Amino acid sequence: MRKLLMAQDLGDLNKAVQEALEIKKNRYAYKHLGENKTLLCVFFNNSLRTRLSTQKAGMNLGMNTMVLDVNQGAWKLETERGVVMDGDKSEHLLEAIPVMASFCDVIGVRSFANFQNKEFDYQETILNQFIKYSGKPVFSMESATAHPLQAFADLITIEEYKKKERPKVVLTWAPHPRALPQAVPNSFADFMNEANVDFVITHPKGYELCDKFVRGAKVEYDQDKALEGADFVYAKNWSAYQDPNYGQILSKDMSWTVSTEKMALTDNAYFMHCLPVRRNMIVTDDVIESPQSLVIPEAANREISAETVIKRILEKL
């Protein structure tokens, strides 16, 4: 395994989940794999769960771990070719990447969509530059279009808590005051489409996601109807993907907030969210604090998803 961006990079998802559950039983069983190996985590954007869980995963595997905050103490980096660098960016990513790579064995990259150029974002320009120019295995810690470590952790969590062989899983849009990327819902759709679940996406019209991730999933514009009989409810905001509204907020309809009344439509479903969450916009206090809320165990599984991915990479070095 040399890279992680999509679910297909993990191969058989059921095998990947079972491997993750075995790792969770003894997360230090593979420390020998990372001995004298270095993990570099490069952050172009803020992070809490991703930073801590990925560092911990690397340490579980016996690796040295380094973190570079590109916007905190490093030179400002230019990312596009052909630019006359007469502004505030002192170094080009095409020189910075091979320099970074000379100090490590595996690289994790976190770089959000900028919403300024849809083509730039959806071509995964920054992540693919790392893949092309580093010569090292590269995995996404959330990119412009995807967050596979989160979706993998979500799938592990569903496997741990499901009460039936093929549960109904609903991804629902919810309101938010800011324009957010599509990365989390994209990856959640990508992984759920490959998993043994009855998957439904619900959102207001205008919030359709990229076909590459949605594929054959059922899309229901009536949230109440979508929630009927659900076993898991995954709430997440995202901005518009479709042109000409890419990256824009089209609605702040508070009727889409996941409340006790909404959850009553389900089959006593578990509530999920990637965190951080805007309370009483995405979800009400009573729902996120209920016994059916999985947001904490879901976040804890980020360590396990990251460790499974890094373990597989180390096994191929």
Side-chain angles (χ1 to χ4, degrees):
M1 183 173 176
R2 294 283 301 180
K3 67 180 178 69
L4 174 69
L5 181 61
M6 299 283 289
Q8 66 184 14
D9 295 325
L10 284 170
D12 186 320
L13 272 191
N14 183 58
K15 288 183 179 179
V17 169
Q18 296 309 312
E19 182 178 348
L21 294 175
E22 286 301 311
I23 287 171
K24 191 170 183 178
K25 292 175 184 177
N26 183 0
R27 59 196 76 193
Y28 304 107
Y30 299 96
K31 287 184 70 174
H32 61 282
L33 290 175
E35 185 178 6
N36 298 325
K37 299 290 194 302
T38 298
L39 168 66
L40 172 62
C41 298
V42 182
F43 288 88
F44 290 81
N45 300 95
N46 294 337
S47 175
L48 188 155
R49 278 148 296 277
T50 298
R51 177 190 295 256
L52 296 179
S53 62
T54 309
Q55 282 186 266
K56 181 66 164 56
M59 290 188 288
N60 291 351
L61 291 163
M63 302 185 78
N64 301 307
T65 61
M66 300 190 298
V67 173
L68 175 64
D69 282 307
V70 172
N71 298 316
Q72 298 289 331
W75 298 112
K76 288 187 178 181
L77 295 175
E78 179 57 64
T79 59
E80 298 195 53
R81 304 180 75 103
V83 174
V84 177
M85 292 176 58
D86 59 355
D88 64 345
K89 296 178 180 178
S90 305
E91 185 163 9
H92 202 287
L93 198 58
L94 298 187
E95 284 78 62
I97 289 172
V99 170
M100 294 179 203
S102 68
F103 303 132
C104 66
D105 301 281
V106 181
I107 303 176
V109 180
R110 183 176 180 90
S111 178
F112 294 172
N114 60 25
F115 291 147
Q116 296 174 13
N117 184 322
K118 181 177 177 180
E119 183 179 9
F120 182 91
D121 288 343
Y122 269 75
Q123 286 182 349
E124 289 291 2
T125 305
I126 292 178
L127 186 69
N128 281 321
Q129 285 178 340
F130 273 90
I131 292 170
K132 183 175 181 179
Y133 296 110
S134 71
K136 300 293 170 69
V138 175
F139 63 92
S140 169
M141 299 190 300
E142 186 171 0
S143 65
T145 71
H147 198 349
L149 290 179
Q150 179 64 55
F152 188 19
D154 298 333
L155 182 57
I156 294 166
T157 307
I158 290 171
E159 180 67 21
E160 290 180 309
Y161 285 87
K162 70 181 184 181
K163 297 175 181 176
K164 61 182 69 168
E165 185 62 27
R166 185 177 173 83
K168 180 178 179 180
V169 179
V170 178
L171 168 63
T172 179
W173 179 93
H176 195 281
R178 296 177 54 216
L180 298 186
Q182 301 96 30
V184 170
N186 280 348
S187 278
F188 190 74
D190 178 35
F191 275 68
M192 291 303 111
N193 278 325
E194 299 302 314
N196 184 28
V197 301
D198 176 14
F199 182 50
V200 180
I201 304 172
T202 184
H203 55 73
K205 290 186 177 181
Y207 279 101
E208 292 78 10
L209 294 165
C210 175
D211 289 341
K212 174 182 176 181
F213 300 97
V214 175
R215 300 198 286 278
K218 179 180 179 181
V219 177
E220 172 58 64
Y221 294 104
D222 184 331
Q223 187 192 39
D224 289 357
K225 186 176 179 180
L227 292 174
E228 291 176 2
D231 300 293
F232 295 87
V233 175
Y234 197 103
K236 186 70 181 78
N237 175 267
W238 62 88
S239 60
Y241 163 74
Q242 303 289 346
D243 293 326
N245 300 312
Y246 177 63
Q248 296 181 20
I249 297 173
L250 304 181
S251 172
K252 293 183 182 178
D253 185 351
M254 296 293 287
S255 71
W256 282 77
T257 299
V258 178
S259 62
T260 298
E261 291 73 23
K262 295 287 186 179
M263 293 298 285
L265 300 170
T266 72
D267 187 11
N268 195 30
Y270 289 106
F271 174 79
M272 302 179 71
H273 187 277
C274 62
L275 299 182
V277 66
R278 299 278 184 138
R279 284 181 175 227
N280 301 307
M281 287 206 73
I282 298 287
V283 59
T284 57
D285 289 331
D286 49 350
V287 171
I288 198 170
E289 294 175 9
S290 77
Q292 294 300 102
S293 174
L294 297 181
V295 296
I296 303 304
E298 182 184 357
N301 275 334
R302 289 292 309 280
E303 175 186 347
I304 307 306
S305 66
E307 184 169 349
T308 305
V309 168
I310 299 168
K311 169 185 173 287
R312 288 185 167 197
I313 290 172
L314 290 173
E315 288 172 334
K316 297 297 183 181
L317 285 181

